Amino acid sequence: MADMKTDVLIIGTGPAGSASAALLSTYGVQNIVINQYSWLASTPRAHITNQRTMEVLRDLGRDVEDEAYLHATEQELMGENVFCESLAGEEIGRMKSWGTHPMSKAEHLLSSPTFMNDLPQTYMEPLLFTTAAKRGSQTRMSTEYLSHVQDAGGVTATVRDKLTGQELTIRAKYLIGADGGNSLVAQNENLPIEGQMGVGGSMNILFKADLSRYVAHRPSVLYWVMQPGANVGGIGMGLVRMIRPWNEWLIVWGYDINKPAPEVTQDYATEVARQLVGDPNLDIDLLSANTWTVNNAYAPQMQKGAVFIMGDAAHRHPPSNGLGSNTSIQDAFNLCWKLAAVLKGQAGEGLLDSYTVERAPVAKQIVTRANKSIDEFGPIFDVLGLTGSVDPVKMQENMDARTEGNAAAEKKREVLREAIAFKKYEFDCHGVEMNQRYTSDAVVTDGQLEPAFSMDEELHYHPTTWPGARLPHVWVFSPEGKKVSTLDLSGHGAFSLLTGIGGEAWEDAARTISKELGCTVNVHLIGPRRAIQDHTGDWARASEIRDSGCVLVRPDHHVAWRAEEVVDDPVADLRRVLTSILKPGSAQKMKGAA
């Protein structure tokens, strides 16, 4: 007899685990979430928060979204990535980043009702964890996961209460391993990991110091220090990252991965900070220091039976592009509505097979992109002459050469500008953040060809209602004139169907099929004198269907299916599609197993 029982056991309270708990509790699913530590994130590791992640928080409730903005540094202050010899020294160049360039900003505003921001993990985790606890998650801190076994009815996990030393068993129908880059859940389940761990060494030095005189006039999240003679390694040559403007900072500093990790003392941290800031008299309030490794690995299989992995357990990569916590939270958004549908008897377990099919390609993509972004610093180092010598004097001469008044120096300046501008593939990579399209049995295309990308798919978001893509955001209006995002018409744990005048039969069909399958399908009829109105015509253009057609949207905002126009038998078509997606006839676990 197990000591505790639940529907879903979640191992880990990082962005993936806490998001899973918050979503499942919002959907009315029992869950227990455990953490081996006494509290949540102690360091602000992840911080870049993209629009897609903010859409997940918005789906959890406007109160959750608003609290995130309350604690975040807003997009305008994320500003321009600065390349310099030190914060007090000469600036080498800069680029507008994170959607702050006017053209990129316009794309961001057109793409989502949410705003990119900088929300350190020390704020994101408590927000998600508190949301989960308030909505019903059972939470246990200082509880260490040890092992688990699967059987036909579910999973039995063994954990240790670190306060008493007592070992306990928790019986669950499903287990989520959100236990980080050294995932014991993945290891115990023998889930394969492709790639290489420990390809580089870095350390984080978290400290407080008022640096406003060096940075307030050029706000940025990241200040990249290109310094001859510096201890090269890790990310770039040295990184000074803003945590809170402008008095809390994180230095990322490299070390030789082939040697033991250094001990970061107060004196050592102060020396590094003084060197990168360029202030020999700087005093810092050292908050913490830790070392970590750069990884290049992902899980091609993110589930086995009743066990799933997500977050850093499934994609292990450097923080380039700011994709870590974002992808982790989006993993949860993909899986949790499916678990809820199965546990509520609305779907068969076959639906869960789509999790790996949809998310493993995303894991591979972001691991590849993040590591590629590190390599793309190379041209900047090369043109500055920092890679052809180890002599600090010669390196400084190479850097100084760009200031001369000859043709060679002019060419250097041109190449340097291009190399810095090319870093948009790391610092303004909107397409990587927003263009995720799923191809799986949880979408039905009816043979419709995937639309090609008209612009660079890494840099630019391409809205489409092609099944598998995220529903495009446009503003529509209530009869009182209040703006409503199309994304707000979908999600919240239910399927949604968007149609127009002439598509009333879809509403009747949705009502019929909802009763048959026990699955809610919310219908929104958009048009003049209807509950939702399209005054600007933006939805008519974005929908890619006729007024009488429909777009069926999954609970995670991804298009499940669309019809160009109304058909002779909407009930039969909608039944066909939802049955194909939900697979209600596939084997389900015994409801009493947990």
Side-chain angles (χ1 to χ4, degrees):
M1 177 69 70
D3 296 294
M4 289 171 273
K5 297 180 181 180
T6 191
D7 283 337
V8 182
L9 172 62
I10 304 164
I11 313 298
T13 58
S18 290
S20 294
L23 287 161
L24 288 171
S25 289
T26 302
Y27 300 156
V29 173
Q30 288 185 347
N31 64 90
I32 295 174
V33 55
I34 69 170
N35 177 2
Q36 66 174 313
Y37 304 107
S38 61
W39 189 232
L40 305 174
S42 58
T43 59
R45 299 183 292 276
H47 59 115
I48 300 297
T49 306
N50 64 39
Q51 287 180 296
R52 185 63 184 129
T53 294
M54 288 305 302
E55 290 169 0
V56 179
L57 270 57
R58 185 183 181 93
D59 194 79
L60 282 167
R62 296 299 292 274
D63 58 327
V64 180
E65 179 191 13
D66 289 345
E67 186 171 347
Y69 291 136
L70 178 67
H71 296 299
T73 297
E74 68 250 33
Q75 189 169 9
E76 286 305 311
L77 290 183
M78 295 172 73
E80 302 172 337
N81 269 273
V82 173
F83 299 82
C84 56
E85 293 192 32
S86 69
L87 266 62
E90 184 176 10
E91 182 172 326
I92 296 168
R94 67 175 83 173
M95 61 162 291
K96 289 188 178 293
S97 312
W98 317 118
T100 57
H101 187 285
M103 293 184 68
S104 182
K105 183 175 183 179
E107 183 175 307
H108 277 240
L109 290 173
L110 289 168
S111 300
S112 176
T114 66
F115 300 94
M116 196 172 204
N117 60 76
D118 188 285
L119 185 64
Q121 194 165 338
T122 43
Y123 293 88
M124 175 67 86
E125 271 189 36
L127 171 58
L128 292 170
F129 184 81
T130 302
T131 300
K134 284 180 177 178
R135 298 182 183 182
S137 295
Q138 297 298 315
T139 62
R140 288 185 63 98
M141 312 305 281
S142 299
T143 302
E144 181 182 10
Y145 160 81
L146 300 176
S147 63
H148 72 267
V149 293
Q150 289 199 57
D151 55 45
V155 183
T156 301
T158 300
V159 303
R160 178 187 294 116
D161 185 324
K162 296 177 71 173
L163 299 180
T164 65
Q166 180 184 7
E167 290 191 3
L168 306 167
T169 55
I170 304 175
R171 180 68 174 166
K173 294 176 183 175
Y174 298 99
L175 183 148
I176 295 175
D179 53 336
N182 296 309
S183 172
L184 186 57
V185 172
Q187 179 181 323
N188 288 341
E189 203 54 66
N190 292 315
L191 288 169
I193 303 294
E194 293 186 0
Q196 186 178 356
M197 300 285 284
V199 298
S202 284
M203 69 184 77
N204 288 347
I205 301 172
L206 180 64
F207 67 97
K208 285 189 174 182
D210 182 2
L211 303 182
S212 56
R213 62 190 180 278
Y214 303 122
V215 299
H217 61 289
R218 50 177 181 179
S220 177
V221 172
L222 305 174
Y223 296 84
W224 299 93
V225 179
M226 310 293 174
Q227 199 170 83
N231 182 16
V232 180
I235 301 176
M237 297 190 71
L239 170 63
V240 183
R241 171 191 147 195
M242 180 276 296
I243 304 299
R244 309 302 280 175
W246 304 109
N247 64 354
E248 188 172 342
W249 300 88
L250 180 74
I251 283 177
V252 182
W253 190 243
Y255 70 88
D256 188 342
I257 190 66
N258 298 309
K259 297 179 180 180
E263 180 184 357
V264 186
T265 63
Q266 174 76 40
D267 289 344
Y268 183 91
T270 299
E271 178 187 354
V272 172
R274 286 175 173 175
Q275 182 174 344
L276 296 188
V277 174
D279 183 347
N281 299 312
L282 179 70
D283 289 323
I284 67 170
D285 178 8
L286 179 63
L287 301 179
S288 67
N290 65 287
T291 58
W292 51 280
T293 60
V294 178
N295 301 315
N296 186 357
Y298 78 99
Q301 180 183 344
M302 294 172 62
Q303 63 190 104
K304 185 183 290 186
V307 175
F308 305 83
I309 60 171
M310 62 172 59
D312 288 353
H315 28 87
R316 308 167 184 185
H317 54 89
S320 317
N321 292 75
L323 296 169
S325 66
N326 290 292
T327 306
S328 301
I329 291 168
Q330 292 159 36
D331 287 343
F333 201 37
N334 180 283
L335 177 62
C336 288
W337 75 266
K338 298 172 183 176
L339 285 173
V342 172
L343 287 164
K344 292 177 180 179
Q346 299 167 352
E349 286 199 308
L351 172 64
L352 302 177
D353 295 338
S354 64
Y355 173 63
T356 280
V357 176
E358 293 181 348
R359 295 305 294 177
V362 175
K364 180 179 181 180
Q365 177 198 25
I366 66 158
V367 169
T368 301
R369 177 66 257 173
N371 281 276
K372 189 177 180 180
S373 290
I374 292 180
D375 294 338
E376 288 168 355
F377 276 101
I380 299 175
F381 299 152
D382 290 342
V383 69
L384 291 174
L386 299 177
T387 54
S389 174
V390 294
D391 179 4
V393 175
K394 178 60 177 175
M395 294 166 75
Q396 187 64 57
E397 290 175 353
N398 292 341
M399 291 183 69
D400 293 343
R402 77 187 190 282
T403 68
E404 297 172 3
N406 53 49
E410 182 176 1
K411 184 63 177 177
K412 276 182 175 290
R413 294 191 293 271
E414 177 189 355
V415 174
L416 178 60
R417 288 193 298 269
E418 292 174 351
I420 290 176
F422 193 76
K423 289 301 293 177
K424 62 188 175 183
Y425 282 93
E426 178 175 0
F427 303 127
D428 203 14
C429 214
H430 198 221
V432 169
E433 298 164 358
M434 303 290 284
N435 275 331
Q436 295 167 10
R437 298 177 180 177
Y438 298 147
T439 303
S440 75
D441 288 343
V443 298
V444 177
T445 65
D446 286 343
Q448 299 171 59
L449 297 178
E450 179 179 358
F453 291 94
S454 57
M455 296 183 290
D456 190 312
E457 63 185 273
E458 285 197 303
L459 294 180
H460 301 285
Y461 167 57
H462 183 95
T464 177
T465 60
W466 182 74
R470 163 190 165 276
L471 178 71
H473 152 74
V474 299
W475 292 113
V476 288
F477 304 87
S478 70
E480 297 77 30
K482 181 180 178 181
K483 288 199 307 184
V484 180
S485 171
T486 46
L487 293 174
D488 295 332
L489 301 180
S490 63
H492 310 292
F495 280 83
S496 301
L497 188 146
L498 308 184
T499 187
I501 295 175
E504 290 82 0
W506 293 115
E507 186 169 16
D508 296 334
R511 191 178 299 112
T512 298
I513 298 305
S514 292
K515 290 179 180 178
E516 282 186 15
L517 301 181
C519 170
T520 300
V521 180
N522 296 316
V523 179
H524 301 281
L525 201 154
I526 303 173
R529 299 184 181 177
R530 301 305 191 267
I532 301 294
Q533 302 179 29
D534 182 23
H535 296 313
T536 62
D538 287 339
W539 170 244
R541 286 182 286 269
S543 68
E544 300 175 324
I545 58 171
R546 298 181 61 179
D547 287 354
S548 70
C550 73
V551 177
L552 181 67
V553 188
R554 306 188 327 185
D556 60 356
H557 303 158
H558 280 257
V559 176
W561 174 73
R562 68 181 179 186
E564 168 67 19
E565 58 187 348
V566 71
V567 295
D568 292 337
D569 192 348
V571 172
D573 242 14
L574 201 54
R575 181 187 294 115
R576 169 182 66 87
V577 169
L578 281 170
T579 300
S580 174
I581 292 169
L582 296 175
K583 298 172 177 55
S586 58
Q588 296 186 29
K589 293 187 183 299
M590 297 178 293
K591 287 185 168 55

